[in-house]
Amino acid sequence: MASKSTFGEINKEYWDTQAKIVFKQEWVQNLMRQIAENLQSHIDWIGIRRTTATGGMASQDTPVKMLDYACGSGIASRVRNHVPRPARARQSETLIMIIQALFPYVSEIRGIDVSDGMVEQYNNSIRSFGVPESQIFAIQGDLAAPLTEQSHPSLGSSDFFQFDIIVVSMALHHIDAPKGLMERLVERLNEDGVLLIIDWTLDQEGHQPQSEGNRSLRGNAQHSAAHTVRHEGFSKEQMETLLRSSGCNEVDYLVLDEPSKVPPEIGGHKQLFFARGKKSALK
């Protein structure tokens, strides 16, 4: 008798069907743009160690390695203005929009996503710019799953360890047990490496700071992704506790100045946060 699907499997099944269409929605494009702009304007706050930039990725004599976890089509690692844009890339304008964010500050990027469809979109987008796989590529995997179910054999290789920064953007609310995932991510950081979480914030009472009448996505049967969401968001106190208990210190939590406009059926307006922690020396 087949076992009941895990939450990771539920997300995989859904996002495989959405990989080619979700980033064509205007509100998603605007959200990606907002995240990309704030990533770049908060580089010093995030704590990425400086490199010698060469007009594109960071200089190879001072390598900085990044993991884009739950990478989707690459919200944190786009390369927009840092490599030539081929004509065929015009067919994927949504993906190109935020091909900027952290690319100029790192020399090597690896992506992991539970969805094969998202990984395909990620790698196709990168290839369309002629960026070599030695610099950027993604694989399918689920670090929130038991070790025997994490899929791609490369997850156990050195290529997917010793990161200087790991970014989890707009994905933690889809994770059944965030602490377990974050512990596994911290294990893959270099000493003093940074774990950066981007997601929806909650107020001290555990509610999303929304205007009257807005609703959350979780449990809203009107939205097709409702069954993939486990958490409405995370408060400052929750994220500080999660980061510290996962092996981080120098923890900070930043609520972005501007709200994010989303469809009425999932809230109307929501508020993003950036939370970061540095791997403790004892982990």
Side-chain angles (χ1 to χ4, degrees):
M1 182 176 179
S3 60
K4 186 177 180 179
S5 295
T6 66
F7 208 62
E9 291 168 342
I10 290 170
N11 270 275
K12 180 183 187 306
E13 180 179 2
Y14 177 78
W15 294 110
D16 276 346
T17 69
Q18 299 295 304
K20 293 183 179 180
I21 59 176
V22 65
F23 297 105
K24 295 180 180 179
Q25 299 176 74
E26 184 178 1
W27 76 269
V28 176
Q29 295 175 5
N30 291 335
L31 181 66
M32 291 193 297
R33 183 187 297 112
Q34 181 186 18
I35 291 172
E37 290 173 351
N38 277 278
L39 280 169
Q40 290 196 311
S41 64
H42 290 89
I43 288 297
D44 289 336
W45 178 88
I46 292 168
I48 300 177
R49 60 184 174 86
R50 288 293 183 177
T51 66
T52 304
T54 57
M57 298 190 86
S59 173
Q60 294 301 311
D61 62 349
T62 54
V64 175
K65 186 177 177 183
M66 169 182 153
L67 173 61
D68 192 356
Y69 186 77
C71 59
S73 69
I75 196 166
S77 52
R78 295 297 178 193
V79 292
R80 186 177 185 177
N81 295 321
H82 309 289
V83 292
R85 174 181 171 182
R88 69 177 182 274
R90 298 178 188 274
Q91 64 185 337
S92 189
E93 190 67 31
T94 304
L95 303 181
I96 295 165
M97 183 187 307
I98 58 165
I99 293 185
Q100 48 189 13
L102 300 179
F103 189 96
Y105 307 98
V106 300
S107 46
E108 186 176 325
I109 298 173
R110 298 293 177 257
I112 300 173
D113 199 279
V114 69
S115 164
D116 293 284
M118 289 294 185
V119 168
E120 181 180 9
Q121 292 293 305
Y122 187 105
N123 288 332
N124 286 345
S125 179
I126 296 302
R127 279 194 290 268
S128 74
F129 285 91
V131 178
E133 190 173 284
S134 60
Q135 289 184 313
I136 310 179
F137 73 91
I139 62 172
Q140 192 277 331
D142 181 6
L143 294 182
L147 293 176
T148 57
E149 301 175 12
Q150 291 180 8
S151 301
H152 205 290
S154 293
L155 287 174
S157 72
S158 59
D159 207 22
F160 280 83
F161 282 85
Q162 297 180 311
F163 291 100
D164 297 291
I165 179 168
I166 296 177
V167 182
V168 185
S169 180
M170 302 311 297
L172 203 65
H173 61 273
H174 293 283
I175 302 299
D176 196 22
K179 181 176 180 292
L181 171 65
M182 291 169 65
E183 286 176 338
R184 290 177 178 176
L185 292 174
V186 171
E187 289 173 356
R188 292 170 184 262
L189 283 170
N190 280 326
E191 185 174 332
D192 292 331
V194 173
L195 175 59
L196 174 66
I197 307 293
I198 303 169
D199 218 301
W200 301 122
T201 190
L202 296 177
D203 60 25
Q204 291 183 343
E205 285 72 44
H207 305 296
Q208 292 174 344
Q210 311 169 16
S211 59
E212 185 176 353
N214 287 341
R215 293 177 292 178
S216 67
L217 174 56
R218 182 170 176 252
N220 182 0
Q222 293 187 33
H223 197 281
S224 62
H227 66 295
T228 72
V229 175
R230 184 63 85 197
H231 310 274
E232 291 188 8
F234 301 91
S235 68
K236 180 177 186 289
E237 293 74 17
Q238 287 174 324
M239 282 310 309
E240 289 179 344
T241 298
L242 281 168
L243 285 164
R244 294 186 191 283
S245 63
S246 299
C248 291
N249 56 25
E250 298 185 34
V251 170
D252 204 357
Y253 183 100
L254 172 73
V255 177
L256 301 194
D257 292 334
E258 67 279 12
S260 305
K261 188 174 182 180
V262 299
E265 65 268 23
I266 59 173
H269 288 85
K270 294 180 182 291
Q271 199 77 37
L272 287 167
F273 73 80
F274 284 10
R276 62 118 171 95
K278 183 177 289 188
K279 182 175 181 177
S280 302
L282 296 179
K283 289 297 285 187

